[in-house]
Amino acid sequence: MADTHQLGDLGVNGMRLRESLEEMAGIGATSGGGVQRLALSDEDRRARDLLVDWLEELELEVTVDAMGNIFGRRAGCEDDLAPVMSGSHLDSQPRGGRFDGALGVLGMLEVMRTLRDHQVETRRPVVIVDWTNEEGSRFSPAMVASGVWAGALDLQWAYDRSDIDGKRLGEELERIGYRGDAPCKNFPVHAYYEYHIEQGPHLEREGKVIGAPQGIVCLQWYDVYLKGEANQVGPTPMEGRHDALCAAAEMILEVEALPRKMGGDLVATVGEIQNQPNSRNIIPGEVHFTVDIRSWEDDLVRRAWGVLERELLALAERRGCPVEIEETWSVGRSSFDPKLVQRVLGTADALDHPNLKMVSGAGHDASYVNQVCPSAMIFVPSIGGRSHVEVEQTRWQDCQAGANVLLHCVLESATEGRASASRSSNSRERDRR
Ligand SMILES: [Zn+2]
């Protein structure tokens, strides 16, 4: 077998990819043209069943692990070598889009089908994966199953996450029949690629078709709990009030002002708020809101939080509303494998797709996978930069272009023997015996 893969005219079937995406989008379809497939819901089960049917049609070796991650393995000529893996997720946000996650799973499915159609033999085995609960909108946090797989999160802790109705993740996995027998534990992977929509405006603005993120920004989540003094709105004069919602309003504007103060690529958002008792004739007595801060620079996020925390404490003091702040989640910046990032860009060049090296502002399963094996991502443009909403769209020809880049990146990695493995993968690789 050759040591380098020649690009040739091998290409995916764009129409078949589109049909698979459309069939998948029928599961949990919403009236506004999006999908709602919350993790471990009945819709998620149906999406998984369809995927497993498709994997079995290809005669892949299908495994489901203890977190419900689904793997489909295609044997290689040197089958004891660590596989090349690619995939994403089939769960969605509430009233989310049809491309987020699904494109990465079905793009890799299309790669597998193309390999079968052309009877391509690869040196290394090739694996497709569907990660459980990437979105984290039903069970927080996000990317929990790739986190357990990578050894960063504990399995029992993940099982105990519960949704708004108190249903536990572990029980819901069992209920939909996807609590698998295989241990949820990382195995040696030679290279991991995740194909995904950009979910931002950069590629479209720059007129590019393919993006290769050099990594994923660091992310910090905080929960802010404010206490005010609830009272009847009519008889209580304005002076001397402790209105928790007014305190929150000032704080939220401080969060918005933070990136301007700090500079760089920082973004800061309050996306969720609960007001108690939420009645028009009671002064708000308790408010909870979330803060999400992201940047490519870990240090900038840390400094920004320091500044914001001081402001929030001062505001709480001034308004007489005691505040409690919890750091809920923290993920360091994840730099992808430079060799694989370069391969994505080089492959896009070779296929004549204008491309851009960038940074991913959104978290992905690839950030956890990247902790245990060399990883990279392939982005295609989101029309209008919109994502996590029903109008999320990507042009069909871009879906095909990204799948072709994935195909050739997978083939290139699957051709590599032990000697040509990248330095980072070499040191991590313990081939299966
Ligand atoms: Zn996604």
Side-chain angles (χ1 to χ4, degrees):
M1 188 157 300
D3 262 305
T4 52
H5 150 72
Q6 302 299 322
L7 232 52
D9 347 306
L10 191 65
V12 302
N13 180 335
M15 186 45 79
R16 182 170 56 189
L17 172 59
R18 173 179 174 165
E19 284 164 5
S20 304
L21 281 161
E22 286 178 332
E23 189 171 345
M24 188 55 80
I27 302 178
T30 57
S31 52
V35 294
Q36 176 154 322
R37 275 196 308 266
L38 299 183
L40 313 184
S41 61
D42 290 346
E43 290 76 26
D44 187 10
R45 177 180 51 73
R46 282 166 55 212
R48 289 160 176 269
D49 290 350
L50 178 60
L51 176 68
V52 169
D53 283 349
W54 282 336
L55 300 184
E56 283 174 349
E57 257 168 43
L58 289 171
E59 297 175 337
L60 303 180
E61 183 191 327
V62 177
T63 314
V64 180
D65 75 15
M67 276 299 290
N69 298 319
I70 301 171
F71 300 87
R73 185 179 186 278
R74 185 177 190 268
C77 304
E78 295 179 36
D79 208 36
D80 62 334
L81 289 177
V84 176
M85 185 159 82
S86 179
S88 195
H89 59 96
L90 290 175
D91 69 319
S92 84
Q93 289 281 331
R95 301 190 81 81
R98 35 162 71 193
F99 293 89
D100 178 0
L103 179 61
V105 177
L106 302 183
M108 185 54 186
L109 176 74
E110 179 52 39
V111 166
M112 289 290 205
R113 286 172 167 169
T114 303
L115 298 181
R116 190 246 349 235
D117 292 349
H118 298 271
Q119 293 164 356
V120 177
E121 292 188 343
T122 55
R123 180 183 225 161
R124 288 177 181 271
V126 176
V127 173
I128 176 173
V129 57
D130 168 32
W131 300 108
T132 296
N133 187 38
E134 191 276 342
E135 296 290 0
S137 42
R138 180 176 176 205
F139 300 99
S140 181
M143 293 138 41
V144 69
S146 54
V148 174
W149 184 84
L153 302 174
D154 177 67
L155 178 73
Q156 196 53 51
W157 178 84
Y159 281 166
D160 287 340
R161 300 301 91 206
S162 58
D163 70 5
I164 199 159
D165 302 318
K167 291 193 176 134
R168 289 170 59 247
L169 185 149
E171 285 156 9
E172 285 295 279
L173 257 182
E174 191 86 55
R175 184 187 69 82
I176 66 162
Y178 277 90
R179 183 161 166 170
D181 297 330
C184 181
K185 194 173 178 313
N186 60 86
F187 44 82
V189 171
H190 179 64
Y192 175 75
Y193 295 99
E194 184 162 345
Y195 175 28
H196 206 279
I197 52 168
E198 181 199 352
Q199 306 184 279
H202 300 291
L203 290 174
E204 191 179 75
R205 275 186 200 156
E206 304 272 331
K208 309 289 187 189
V209 174
I210 300 295
Q214 54 183 319
I216 295 181
V217 295
C218 100
L219 174 159
Q220 298 274 356
W221 280 5
Y222 301 91
D223 279 275
V224 179
Y225 299 89
L226 269 166
K227 278 231 180 313
E229 200 174 87
N231 213 339
Q232 228 290 11
V233 299
T236 313
M238 294 308 289
E239 60 272 20
R241 284 190 182 194
H242 302 291
D243 184 324
L245 188 58
C246 288
E250 274 199 85
M251 290 179 176
I252 292 167
L253 291 177
E254 282 300 331
V255 174
E256 191 198 23
L258 188 65
R260 268 198 310 279
K261 275 185 213 158
M262 303 304 298
D265 65 342
L266 193 85
V267 289
T269 311
V270 174
E272 191 182 329
I273 183 164
Q274 277 109 31
N275 176 48
Q276 297 296 338
N278 211 30
S279 162
R280 72 174 70 213
N281 54 8
I282 303 177
I283 297 168
E286 271 179 49
V287 171
H288 158 237
F289 66 90
T290 60
V291 180
D292 174 310
I293 304 182
R294 303 179 190 206
S295 162
W296 179 242
E297 306 298 335
D298 294 288
D299 184 54
L300 182 61
V301 169
R302 259 192 304 279
R303 283 188 291 119
W305 174 248
V307 169
L308 182 65
E309 191 179 28
R310 274 197 302 281
E311 310 263 13
L312 299 189
L313 294 175
L315 268 167
E317 174 82 31
R318 185 157 58 73
R319 286 196 163 262
C321 292
V323 66
E324 268 182 49
I325 301 173
E326 280 174 19
E327 184 186 290
T328 318
W329 197 35
S330 163
V331 183
R333 118 176 168 189
S334 172
S335 297
F336 289 137
D337 187 86
K339 179 182 155 184
L340 297 188
V341 173
Q342 210 41 56
R343 175 167 296 158
V344 171
L345 295 167
T347 305
D349 274 338
L351 294 171
D352 279 333
H353 297 311
N355 54 82
L356 183 69
K357 190 170 173 179
M358 54 192 299
V359 161
S360 172
H364 294 286
D365 290 307
S367 26
Y368 278 126
V369 179
N370 190 42
Q371 294 182 3
V372 288
C373 65
S375 303
M377 293 190 74
I378 299 162
F379 279 175
V380 287
S382 297
I383 295 176
R386 304 280 311 275
S387 181
H388 280 184
V389 286
E390 291 174 293
V391 298
E392 176 185 281
Q393 283 293 344
T394 289
R395 298 188 311 165
W396 295 116
Q397 66 257 45
D398 293 348
C399 293
Q400 181 176 353
N404 275 322
V405 172
L406 176 64
L407 168 69
H408 290 286
C409 286
V410 165
L411 281 172
E412 181 76 32
S413 289
T415 304
E416 289 173 325
R418 281 188 184 87
S420 52
S422 69
R423 205 162 6 126
S424 52
S425 66
N426 234 350
S427 58
R428 287 172 190 159
E429 185 166 14
R430 288 159 288 122
D431 283 345
R432 284 149 42 109
R433 291 282 156 224

